[in-house]
Amino acid sequence: MDAKRKRPPPQPKRPKRPKKIVKDEATDADAAAAAANALEERKLAAAEAKEKKKTAAIEYMSGWARRDQAPWRFNKTLQGWWCANWGSTVEVAKGDFATFLEYAPTIAGAARTRLLEHAREAAAEEVEAADEEDAATKQRRKQGIRARKLVRALEAPDAPATRRGD
């Protein structure tokens, strides 16, 4: 009876290789367009994330200014944003920078040291005033002014080295 029973066909040892797909020009163009769209979407998402962080940092600083009326919590990431962007007139408005000047003396530790070093370097840069300035020269000149103000705020004798409980 065993001889009459049919055996199943043997399984191949390796799976068959897929057939090669011949690409045509339309497929290449579609792939290039999809890659360009993906790149554009990533750029847009990065710009939105940057704007969101800027907004959060400005709200953080205005919250610090109103800390007597409302609760305020320290945020290392947002303080880092301020330490990195204080000199940019594009990122930080004049009024927000004034609030940062009040906040800066409360920064403690290595962040304060790095901030002071960076401000001293920016203050030491000489930017000659010209009749016709391009935008980059004007930005560097304004950053130098901000840097000198920041150095004065951080080196003021009445500036607290650390301030806990704010």
Side-chain angles (χ1 to χ4, degrees):
M1 213 171 243
D2 288 332
K4 292 183 181 180
R5 189 183 301 173
K6 289 188 177 181
R7 291 185 178 175
Q11 297 292 326
K13 293 182 181 179
R14 284 192 234 160
K16 293 183 179 180
R17 293 184 182 176
K19 294 182 181 180
K20 290 185 179 180
I21 300 172
V22 178
K23 292 185 178 181
D24 59 351
E25 291 178 14
T27 306
D28 290 340
D30 291 342
N37 286 341
L39 179 65
E40 193 63 34
E41 287 176 7
R42 283 193 307 268
K43 284 182 180 180
L44 185 61
E48 287 174 359
K50 184 178 179 181
E51 188 63 30
K52 187 176 180 181
K53 190 165 189 176
K54 174 184 170 182
T55 304
I58 290 170
E59 288 174 4
Y60 172 78
M61 196 54 58
S62 63
W64 178 85
R66 294 185 318 268
R67 67 192 180 283
D68 295 335
Q69 293 104 16
W72 175 83
R73 290 193 57 158
F74 172 73
N75 186 320
K76 186 176 183 176
T77 304
L78 296 178
Q79 177 179 289
W81 185 94
W82 276 98
C83 290
N85 293 291
W86 60 266
S88 172
T89 56
V90 174
E91 298 289 329
V92 180
K94 195 174 188 178
D96 296 327
F97 180 72
T99 305
F100 179 68
L101 283 177
E102 295 173 22
Y103 173 82
T106 67
I107 298 173
R112 181 187 181 102
T113 305
R114 282 191 307 273
L115 180 62
L116 185 57
E117 288 174 5
H118 188 248
R120 283 180 180 154
E121 289 172 8
E125 289 181 17
E126 292 293 324
V127 180
E128 295 182 22
D131 293 335
E132 295 182 25
E133 292 182 330
D134 63 338
T137 305
K138 191 174 183 179
Q139 165 69 15
R140 284 194 315 272
R141 188 174 50 78
K142 287 183 177 184
Q143 184 176 9
I145 294 167
R146 285 183 171 195
R148 287 186 288 279
K149 288 179 180 180
L150 184 56
V151 168
R152 279 194 304 266
L154 291 171
E155 292 180 339
D158 61 340
T162 59
R163 204 163 159 192
R164 306 269 180 205
D166 267 345

